[in-house]
Amino acid sequence: MKRIDMEFDLVVIGGGTGGPMAAVKAKEKNPKLKVLLIDKAHVKRSGAISMGMDGLNNAVIPGHATPEQYVKEITIANDGIVDQAAVMAYAANSFDMIQELDRWGVKFEKDETGDYAVRKVHHLGSYVLPMPEGHHMKKILYRQLKRARVEITNRVVVTRLLTGANGEVSGVMGFDCRTADFYVIRCKAAVITTGAAGRIGLPASGYLMGTYENPTNSGDGHAMAYHAGAALANLECFQINPLIKDYNGPACAYVTGPFGGYTANARGERFIECDYWSGQMMLEFHRELQSGNGPVFLKLDHLAEETISEIEHILHSNERPSRGRFHDKRGNDYRKQMIEMHISEIGFCSGHSASGIWTNARGETSVPGLYAAGDCASVPHNYMLGAFVYGRICGHTAAEYCGAVADRAIDEGAVAAEQARVSAPLQRSEGPTPFQIEYKTRRLVNDYLQPPKITRKYEIGLRRFDEVREDAQAMLATNPHELMRAMEAMSIIDCAEMAARSSMFRAESRWGLYHYCVDHPERDDANWFCHTLLSKGADGSMTMAKKAVEPYIVPIDDEERDAYQRLRVERKAEAA
């Protein structure tokens, strides 16, 4: 491996959603900073919004909602386990970010008066803002990167962070997935914006890359934060979503809801009052699937033609444009029949749940000089707009930090060890392939970790993960691209173990299906009304700890606390 040395003030890792925003805002805060945006793909088409987005799920717009209402909604949806200050930091900056994106050229749906056409999907408030022409998102972000003169390095896979004597960030290491050149980048600070850990579980289709989340998001950021000493929060709060059966994308009942669509059972009956994704919603979905009333469907066949045409324009042209082709091949027609739905594989994604690298309201992690934004960070239910808002927060905070600290020294011993670890698969002539290691890990995740959670299965799963980790030490890569897959497989193993250990630590059920434990079926606020933090112990093993929930700044009434537990539509028994 040829070594390439670089030096910047700030390195932003991940060029999807939050990363470009963090890089642009850091440069705006301090134009003299040397800022690098680095991605293992190409920034023009990387990340979960590579094909655009069909709407904002959490727009806090005056006249439709207040920041306080939103904080209350997310607190209730997340069973109370939130840092309200971090949620408020998002909510208070939401509208300003929407206006800035509007000025940049992002097109949001507006009514005849020019006001944003906000729709109601959530249980309590109105926050959904459709984007019928959201497919231009990445082009708009790339234009802003060039205007801000942010330096960009594509096709480099970041594997580890370097830290100094006091645990502070001092650099970034990785390799080029086309040449295998090894990069050592000295910096004062880093922002991780690597998205969800979407390749932990195996899709029902069996395809390695057929995941709900962008399949390039393999948990690299979660793993590198862990190995740098950062704490990760509430990893037992899995992401599990409702999907179109056999398709790696959502049925989007929450998008169609404002138009009159809804989730239905095999009888065509609505069985949940709110299609907004929450753990309790997914638990009711799971129960209906397992009952005599399944399968579960997206129901649109009762809607008018013009309404269905508008839904098709939104769902089939943005984010996952293959959705329309899938329906065509299946012979699915929203007008004629309901569309079968299913449950996704598990993952880590704060955008849809609450698990990720622990951060506060300034985007700071527990490691000095390290920040995180978007689906890899811990602020719950953040979605795309939250990634933008926290990208800006992290960019500003990191820029201030870089201006206050001196240049960092590089630990050459750590560099040599990481280069040896990364290059090892290329030196071998035989061994298991990255695809074999990844498939085995993810199949075991499905076998042992998929909720409902059973302690004995988790114990067996951990033992099996140890066996796979040992096998992975002999992994073979025949070229730089396979080397990328090998390093991703190692991150997936790390994330699988994190998921298991966090789940076993929290001895209760919470967040509906996300953490439904057969051995501890009830919520236990007396002992578990807290965050859980996972970190790397002094002996190199994963350690767990409780962290008190931060004092609320928006009070929650007793009658509101369980609002999301009352989603099921209650039907009166038929007269005998």
Side-chain angles (χ1 to χ4, degrees):
M1 277 184 158
K2 174 185 173 184
R3 174 168 162 171
I4 296 176
D5 286 271
M6 305 173 74
E7 185 173 350
F8 288 86
D9 295 303
L10 175 64
V11 176
V12 180
I13 306 163
T17 307
M21 186 64 70
V24 167
K25 293 304 175 181
K27 285 290 285 185
E28 287 182 0
K29 185 73 172 178
N30 184 352
K32 295 181 179 180
L33 284 183
K34 291 184 63 180
V35 178
L36 174 67
L37 178 63
I38 192 167
D39 196 279
K40 65 180 178 182
H42 195 292
V43 170
K44 284 185 177 180
R45 278 292 190 189
S46 63
I49 63 167
S50 61
M51 299 300 291
M53 185 55 64
D54 53 22
L56 302 179
N57 294 341
N58 54 342
V60 184
I61 296 176
H64 299 278
T66 67
E68 290 77 14
Q69 287 173 327
Y70 181 79
V71 171
K72 179 178 289 189
E73 178 98 45
I74 298 307
T75 302
I76 296 169
N78 213 52
D79 281 356
I81 310 297
V82 298
D83 177 354
Q84 282 197 347
V87 179
M88 179 60 81
Y90 159 74
N93 288 281
S94 170
F95 184 54
D96 184 58
M97 177 56 67
I98 293 170
Q99 291 180 304
E100 181 160 29
L101 292 171
D102 202 336
R103 291 192 295 271
W104 284 2
V106 176
K107 295 182 179 180
F108 302 104
E109 185 176 314
K110 298 180 181 178
D111 61 23
E112 62 276 4
T113 69
D115 189 20
Y116 293 111
V118 181
R119 313 292 177 89
K120 179 173 172 55
V121 173
H122 294 64
H123 193 58
L124 302 176
S126 300
Y127 310 100
V128 173
L129 178 58
M131 298 167 58
E133 299 180 56
H135 51 277
H136 296 308
M137 183 67 75
K138 288 296 290 189
K139 290 182 180 179
I140 292 169
L141 288 177
Y142 193 74
R143 190 181 307 131
Q144 294 300 320
L145 287 167
K146 302 307 286 186
R147 286 177 177 172
R149 299 184 181 278
V150 172
E151 295 194 45
I152 298 171
T153 295
N154 295 307
R155 312 292 180 189
V156 170
V157 182
V158 176
T159 58
R160 290 289 188 269
L161 299 167
L162 285 161
T163 55
N166 297 313
E168 72 282 3
V169 167
S170 61
V172 168
M173 297 177 288
F175 65 95
D176 190 300
C177 64
R178 291 187 170 177
T179 66
D181 292 339
F182 189 74
Y183 280 70
V184 180
I185 307 170
R186 187 165 73 165
C187 62
K188 297 177 180 178
V191 182
I192 299 178
T193 55
T194 50
R199 275 186 14 230
I200 302 178
L202 191 67
S205 68
Y207 295 114
L208 286 180
M209 303 298 168
T211 55
Y212 166 80
E213 287 294 343
N214 175 8
T216 64
N217 294 349
S218 52
D220 303 343
H222 296 73
M224 74 177 73
Y226 165 75
H227 287 289
L232 293 94
N234 303 318
L235 297 182
E236 66 277 11
C237 184
F238 294 169
Q239 173 187 236
I240 306 172
N241 292 327
L243 302 179
I244 298 171
K245 183 72 165 64
D246 299 326
Y247 177 74
N248 62 328
C252 285
Y254 68 91
V255 174
T256 66
F259 297 92
Y262 57 86
T263 304
N265 60 26
R267 300 173 183 173
E269 300 168 337
R270 184 165 197 163
F271 62 92
I272 47 176
E273 294 181 350
C274 173
D275 286 311
Y276 173 65
W277 293 353
S278 67
Q280 191 61 36
M281 178 267 195
M282 287 308 306
L283 182 58
E284 299 297 349
F285 190 112
H286 177 266
R287 286 170 174 167
E288 202 74 6
L289 274 180
Q290 302 303 314
S291 74
N293 295 326
V296 170
F297 298 87
L298 171 66
K299 182 171 172 55
L300 303 176
D301 55 2
H302 59 291
L303 301 178
E305 170 60 32
E306 58 268 24
T307 302
I308 292 177
S309 295
E310 185 175 357
I311 289 171
E312 286 178 330
H313 175 68
I314 294 172
L315 294 184
H316 297 179
S317 62
N318 293 302
E319 186 182 3
R320 287 174 169 90
S322 61
R323 192 193 322 254
R325 296 194 296 274
F326 173 84
H327 286 322
D328 287 342
K329 292 291 186 180
R330 278 288 173 94
N332 294 337
D333 188 335
Y334 295 145
R335 300 157 185 80
K336 298 178 180 178
Q337 72 262 1
M338 300 188 296
I339 308 301
E340 187 179 0
M341 299 168 67
H342 199 58
I343 289 177
S344 76
E345 66 284 349
I346 69 167
F348 296 150
C349 177
S350 65
H352 297 102
S353 62
S355 54
I357 304 164
W358 179 84
T359 57
N360 61 18
R362 289 170 48 83
E364 298 165 323
T365 74
S366 58
V367 171
L370 181 62
Y371 307 84
D375 286 348
C376 68
S378 64
V379 182
H381 299 256
N382 237 358
Y383 298 100
M384 179 182 72
L385 189 57
F388 283 137
V389 168
Y390 263 94
R392 178 168 66 182
I393 290 172
C394 288
H396 287 172
T397 308
E400 293 172 357
Y401 178 87
C402 288
V405 299
D407 292 338
R408 305 300 195 192
I410 291 293
D411 182 346
E412 288 295 339
V415 171
E418 179 63 4
Q419 186 168 3
R421 184 186 76 90
V422 169
S423 64
L426 289 174
Q427 314 304 318
R428 301 185 183 112
S429 58
E430 60 181 12
T433 68
F435 309 100
Q436 291 171 321
I437 294 295
E438 178 177 343
Y439 176 80
K440 187 172 184 179
T441 303
R442 294 171 65 188
R443 182 181 63 79
L444 292 171
V445 167
N446 281 24
D447 288 346
Y448 296 106
L449 305 192
Q450 188 83 15
K453 302 178 180 181
I454 300 172
T455 301
R456 184 66 183 125
K457 290 177 70 174
Y458 271 65
E459 291 170 347
I460 297 171
L462 281 170
R463 190 169 68 247
R464 298 299 302 278
F465 294 148
D466 286 343
E467 295 167 1
V468 177
R469 195 183 291 278
E470 184 176 348
D471 291 342
Q473 301 308 309
M475 198 162 23
L476 166 70
T478 61
N479 56 58
H481 184 81
E482 282 194 4
L483 183 62
M484 175 177 68
R485 295 291 183 229
M487 294 300 107
E488 289 176 341
M490 296 302 295
S491 294
I492 291 167
I493 296 171
D494 281 341
C495 288
E497 183 180 348
M498 292 180 198
R501 295 200 181 280
S502 296
S503 295
M504 292 180 69
F505 182 66
R506 185 181 284 276
E508 64 157 357
S509 287
R510 190 175 290 271
W511 305 302
L513 186 62
Y514 299 164
H515 185 63
Y516 178 65
C517 300
V518 174
D519 303 304
H520 308 283
E522 302 299 326
R523 196 168 86 182
D524 180 4
D525 283 343
N527 295 297
W528 291 101
F529 191 78
C530 62
H531 302 284
T532 64
L533 297 183
L534 180 145
S535 58
K536 192 172 185 177
D539 62 354
S541 64
M542 294 182 184
T543 62
M544 298 298 308
K546 293 181 178 182
K547 182 180 185 297
V549 171
E550 298 78 3
Y552 285 176
I553 56 177
V554 177
I556 308 296
D557 295 338
D558 288 341
E559 64 182 28
E560 295 176 310
R561 290 181 185 274
D562 296 324
Y564 271 77
Q565 312 299 319
R566 301 189 293 271
L567 295 183
R568 176 164 282 277
V569 174
E570 297 295 338
R571 302 191 181 281
K572 295 181 180 179
E574 295 183 0

